[in-house]
Amino acid sequence: MIDISGIDSHLLINSDCFSALRELPDQSVDLILTDPPYNIAKYSTGNMKFDWRSDINNDLAEWDLAELRPADLVGEFKRVLKPAGNIFIFCSYNIIGEYHRAFDPEFDTFQFMVWHKTNPVPNFRKSSFLNSCELIVTCWNKGHTWNFTTQKDMHNFIESGICMGSERVKDRDGRNLHPTQKPIAILEKIIRLASNEHDVVLDCFSGVGSTGVAALKNNRRFVGIEIDKTYMEAAEKRLSGVKQPLLL
């Protein structure tokens, strides 16, 4: 077992999520906030080419081709989550039904949030809707941690631009390192809502560590699991540079 009780900042584990999850103690995590593969790469039409502007990258990484079954996650998520814990999982339209079938019977409440992207990729061909929304599955049991603010603020609808500019982690050639990097603003809002200071936040598909950055900035502890070593090294660099509040 990996002892995470003594973590005062963060722990990154370079492993596949299923192996690493089995090494975490029972009821050791306060919030699971994660962004698994959406399994939509197979629908990609490749880069969109234009005569009058640069290409738009419409490809996801190869890892999104792996078939993820939500039913494979639910058992370990339940085991490592504390009784007052919460689960937030970014997902897509094509797989939300599978999350509902797997998670709804196991928790008192199954809901979802909508993230509306205020700056989605334009639909230059004007042939369909803009892809401006993503879904976030949410699950909890009675007595869960919930920092309710105001009625106006507590809609299950969040607006934010997609991750751009200096927030994007780049590779050595200056290209975006991770194709589905999430904005810190969205992650911070969820973390403040669904956990308390000093709590342990787990992201078992942690990518370049955005959930960890949001957690540390809000005086939470972070455990990240990431199978890709390049992503993990980028995450460690980001997390080591976060200025944390007076802590723990």
Side-chain angles (χ1 to χ4, degrees):
M1 281 289 170
I2 300 172
D3 182 12
I4 63 175
S5 61
I7 296 172
D8 61 2
S9 174
H10 65 276
L11 171 67
L12 294 180
I13 304 168
N14 186 201
S15 173
D16 74 274
C17 74
F18 298 106
S19 298
L21 278 170
R22 288 192 288 270
E23 294 299 314
L24 298 184
D26 296 354
Q27 297 185 5
S28 58
V29 171
D30 298 281
L31 169 63
I32 298 172
L33 172 53
T34 194
D35 185 19
Y38 286 8
N39 303 150
I40 59 174
K42 59 189 174 184
Y43 304 118
S44 172
T45 55
N47 287 358
M48 293 183 283
K49 296 182 180 296
F50 300 91
D51 295 332
W52 50 275
R53 58 153 295 156
S54 59
D55 294 355
I56 293 178
N57 184 1
N58 195 36
D59 283 324
L60 294 176
E62 288 185 11
W63 45 254
D64 194 72
L65 291 169
E67 291 293 333
L68 175 74
R69 297 178 63 248
D72 294 335
L73 295 171
V74 65
E76 287 301 305
F77 278 18
K78 281 188 65 180
R79 183 185 65 79
V80 302
L81 193 68
K82 293 180 181 178
N86 293 288
I87 297 174
F88 285 70
I89 307 170
F90 284 85
C91 76
S92 184
Y93 68 92
N94 61 308
I95 202 169
I96 191 169
E98 293 186 44
Y99 276 108
H100 184 264
R101 283 190 292 275
F103 281 77
D104 182 59
E106 304 295 331
F107 292 90
D108 288 326
T109 299
F110 179 102
Q111 293 185 347
F112 68 92
M113 301 176 71
V114 175
W115 168 31
H116 176 231
K117 306 170 192 175
T118 55
N119 57 342
V121 175
N123 191 324
F124 292 107
R125 298 189 175 98
K126 301 181 180 179
S127 58
S128 62
F129 294 113
L130 274 67
N131 183 23
S132 65
C133 290
E134 288 189 27
L135 303 175
I136 308 170
V137 165
T138 67
C139 303
W140 54 76
N141 287 319
K142 293 175 182 176
H144 67 120
T145 299
W146 202 245
N147 299 313
F148 195 99
T149 53
T150 66
Q151 298 291 341
K152 184 177 180 180
D153 187 47
M154 293 300 296
H155 294 201
N156 64 335
F157 179 87
I158 302 179
E159 283 194 306
S160 165
I162 60 175
C163 192
M164 294 184 69
S166 61
E167 188 176 339
R168 290 302 300 251
V169 177
K170 306 292 186 180
D171 64 16
R172 292 179 180 177
D173 297 318
R175 297 172 298 198
N176 293 337
L177 181 60
H178 196 290
T180 65
Q181 183 181 337
K182 296 299 185 287
I184 298 295
I186 292 289
L187 301 169
E188 284 192 286
K189 184 177 179 69
I190 293 171
I191 285 168
R192 289 193 295 265
L193 167 67
S195 67
N196 295 316
E197 289 195 350
H198 315 319
D199 280 355
V200 174
V201 178
L202 169 68
D203 186 350
C204 50
F205 299 90
S206 66
V208 291
S210 297
T211 301
V213 172
L216 297 191
K217 286 177 64 178
N218 287 274
N219 205 14
R220 275 69 167 171
R221 295 174 288 167
F222 177 66
V223 176
I225 301 169
E226 174 53 51
I227 194 170
D228 187 296
K229 189 174 182 181
T230 301
Y231 291 164
M232 191 192 70
E233 289 173 350
E236 180 59 54
K237 184 176 180 180
R238 291 179 81 198
L239 294 174
S240 298
V242 174
K243 257 190 177 176
Q244 296 174 252
L246 282 176
L247 226 200
L248 310 171

